[in-house]
């Protein structure tokens, strides 16, 4: 895929492309090597329903997380090239906004930067909507500062909590740590409809949704990027891919969760040392759409065949091969429901694999297992 074509597609959905390619990033921590081809190393394009990809047509409606959007905008662009009679439309309403549309039956696929919530599961049950949960990539939520910031090389989880806690009085860098300069602290972060907001508040403040409100909030991560770029006193957070796209203009902050400062990177996300801000990214596919719309079936199959390379191209971290194999098996077998208990924090590779290899046993949302 040509970088210019990808960038044009990102602008079409309101985001800029992340053009950095990450290679050879999954060798440690899981005993697996990332596939060099598709997400599973397979070239098959007819899993699940056995759809003939060359013959599919029609719309595929996708919406949700701004973090996940670059991945599936890239997938949609490549898929549409080979399927001229399809149109994969990718919107960006935030994780919560995407789930609202999913519950309303307005979209076929919801993108999410956190697992589905209990109340969302119940709302889908009330509508009789079954879903297939597919972890598709890994991410490290990244704290960033302006390049002019020479003091905040790392922050502890406790310092982040004091900064971001509800009704926090920390408004100046000197209030964060002795020795930091007397400079106003300007905060940038995810909007309340974002799965990133849910995950960050749970990981840092211990309660989902618990956050100070006097900060620049947006579901569009590019707005947050531009804000931090233009303010020496800024501190912001968003997905790792957006940092990679802008790493020449932003500085990452190392996080100390009690074992010393750790910088976000593909390696530290995969080996589990970047805590507590490492997380899986998801899509949720309506089972009815998967069964009744050949274009949706073919689209997800295409992701499993080609998605690993596309995930890398837009700066995110592909799932290790053993996990993606379990995920693909769920897709092929049309296993419905969730194996995640809401927004869990600090899930490592072993925990994700354990959940995925355990199947949908005990899964919520009417799986029948």
């Amino acid at each position: 895929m040509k970088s210019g074509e990808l960038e044009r597609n990102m602008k079409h959905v309101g985001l800029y492309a992340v053009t950095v390619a990450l290679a050879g990033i999954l060798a440690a921590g899981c005993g697996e090597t990332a596939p060099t081809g598709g997400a599973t190393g397979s070239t098959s394009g007819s899993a699940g329903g056995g759809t003939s990809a060359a013959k599919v047509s029609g719309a595929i409606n996708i919406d949700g997380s701004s973090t996940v959007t670059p991945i599936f905008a890239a997938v949609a662009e490549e898929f549409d090239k080979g399927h001229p009679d399809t149109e994969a439309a990718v919107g960006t309403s935030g994780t919560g906004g995407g789930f609202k549309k999913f519950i309303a039956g307005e979209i076929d696929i919801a993108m999410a930067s956190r697992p589905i919530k209990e109340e969302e599961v119940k709302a889908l049950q009330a509508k009789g909507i079954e879903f297939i949960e597919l972890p598709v990539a890994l991410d490290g939520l990244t704290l960033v500062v302006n390049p002019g910031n020479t003091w905040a090389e790392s922050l502890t989880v406790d310092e982040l909590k004091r900064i971001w806690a509800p009704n926090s009085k920390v408004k100046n860098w000197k209030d964060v740590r002795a020795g930091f300069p007397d400079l106003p602290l300007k905060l940038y972060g995810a909007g309340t409809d974002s799965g990133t907001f849910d995950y960050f508040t749970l990981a840092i403040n211990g309660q989902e949704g618990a956050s100070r409100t006097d900060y620049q909030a947006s579901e569009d991560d590019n707005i947050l990027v531009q804000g931090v770029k233009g303010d020496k006193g800024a501190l912001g957070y968003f997905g790792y891919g957006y940092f990679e796209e802008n790493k020449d203009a932003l500085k990452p902050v190392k996080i100390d969760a009690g074992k010393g400062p750790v910088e976000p990177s593909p390696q530290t996300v995969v080996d589990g040392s970047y805590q507590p801000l490492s997380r899986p990214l998801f899509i949720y596919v309506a089972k009815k759409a998967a069964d009744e719309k050949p274009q949706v079936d073919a689209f997800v199959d295409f992701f499993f065949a080609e998605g690993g390379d596309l995930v890398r191209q837009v700066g995110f971290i592909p799932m290790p091969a053993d996990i993606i194999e379990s995920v693909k098996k769920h897709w092929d077998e049309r296993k419905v429901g969730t194996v995640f208990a809401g927004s869990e924090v600090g899930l490592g590779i072993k925990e994700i694999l354990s959940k995925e290899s355990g199947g949908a046993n005990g899964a919520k949302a009417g799986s029948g297992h």
Side-chain angles (χ1 to χ4, degrees):
M1 176 175 55
K2 296 179 180 179
S3 60
E5 294 171 340
L6 178 57
E7 182 173 345
R8 287 192 294 274
N9 189 67
M10 293 299 143
K11 291 180 179 179
H12 179 69
V13 297
L15 291 169
Y16 294 102
V18 183
T19 56
V20 75
L22 302 178
I25 56 179
L26 296 174
C30 59
E32 292 286 344
T33 301
T36 57
T40 65
S42 169
T43 58
S44 171
S46 59
T51 302
S52 175
K55 298 179 181 178
V56 298
S57 62
I60 305 161
N61 296 311
I62 308 163
D63 207 318
S65 167
S66 63
T67 300
V68 185
T69 294
I71 297 173
F72 280 89
V75 174
E77 179 178 352
E78 291 303 303
F79 179 79
D80 284 347
K81 286 179 183 177
H83 303 80
D85 294 327
T86 65
E87 182 178 359
V90 182
T92 306
S93 299
T95 296
F99 274 128
K100 289 175 184 176
K101 292 184 177 183
F102 196 59
I103 292 164
E106 296 174 4
I107 59 176
D108 305 308
I109 299 172
M111 304 177 294
S113 58
R114 57 157 172 82
I116 193 169
K117 296 181 180 180
E118 179 70 29
E119 57 265 34
E120 291 162 341
V121 170
K122 290 179 178 178
L124 287 164
Q125 287 176 328
K127 292 289 188 70
I129 298 174
E130 293 183 306
F131 62 84
I132 304 163
E133 177 183 69
L134 304 173
V136 293
L138 296 169
D139 182 31
L141 258 179
T142 303
L143 274 295
V144 296
V145 293
N146 185 277
N149 184 321
T150 59
W151 56 92
E153 296 294 326
S154 69
L155 292 169
T156 68
V157 171
D158 182 65
E159 287 169 338
L160 289 171
K161 183 174 182 178
R162 287 193 292 105
I163 291 170
W164 287 96
N167 303 313
S168 172
K169 304 301 181 184
V170 177
K171 298 181 183 296
N172 192 296
W173 278 103
K174 68 178 182 180
D175 300 326
V176 176
R177 185 188 301 175
F180 280 4
D182 182 0
L183 183 70
L185 174 63
K186 181 66 178 293
L187 298 174
Y188 297 83
T192 56
D193 232 3
S194 169
T196 296
F197 173 81
D198 295 334
Y199 192 91
F200 183 83
T201 52
L202 180 61
I204 299 302
N205 292 333
Q207 181 179 345
E208 196 171 281
S211 174
R212 65 191 297 169
T213 58
D214 58 336
Y215 71 97
Q216 175 65 55
S218 178
E219 273 81 19
D220 185 344
D221 296 301
N222 289 294
I223 292 176
L224 307 179
V225 167
Q226 295 304 316
V228 178
K229 281 183 179 180
D231 191 333
K232 185 177 179 180
L235 174 69
Y237 68 88
F238 35 74
Y240 181 78
Y242 287 90
F243 162 68
E244 274 292 323
E245 181 185 13
N246 297 278
K247 63 182 180 181
D248 292 336
L250 299 172
K251 290 177 62 176
V253 178
K254 297 177 183 178
I255 305 302
D256 188 346
K259 297 182 179 180
V262 178
E263 186 170 336
S265 72
Q267 188 63 55
T268 59
V269 169
V270 169
D271 68 23
S273 61
Y274 184 66
Q275 291 294 336
L277 296 178
S278 296
R279 59 178 179 168
L281 304 175
F282 299 85
I283 59 171
Y284 290 81
V285 185
K287 185 175 183 296
K288 183 177 181 181
D291 291 342
E292 298 181 5
K293 295 183 178 182
Q295 69 271 30
V296 173
D297 180 41
F299 180 83
V300 179
D301 287 342
F302 180 82
F303 169 78
F304 282 115
E306 305 292 341
D309 287 340
L310 294 172
V311 168
R312 290 187 193 91
Q313 286 181 29
V314 296
F316 286 88
I317 306 165
M319 284 286 184
D322 49 358
I323 294 180
I324 208 71
E325 286 173 6
S326 292
V327 174
K328 186 176 184 298
K329 183 178 179 182
H330 283 191
W331 168 247
D332 290 345
E333 296 177 358
R334 296 293 194 262
K335 287 187 176 180
V336 299
T338 176
V339 297
F340 292 84
S343 296
E344 301 179 58
V345 167
L347 287 173
I349 293 298
K350 291 182 180 179
E351 290 83 2
I352 297 171
L353 179 59
S354 175
K355 289 176 179 292
E356 287 301 317
S357 62
N361 294 325
K364 302 172 187 177
S367 68
H369 293 276

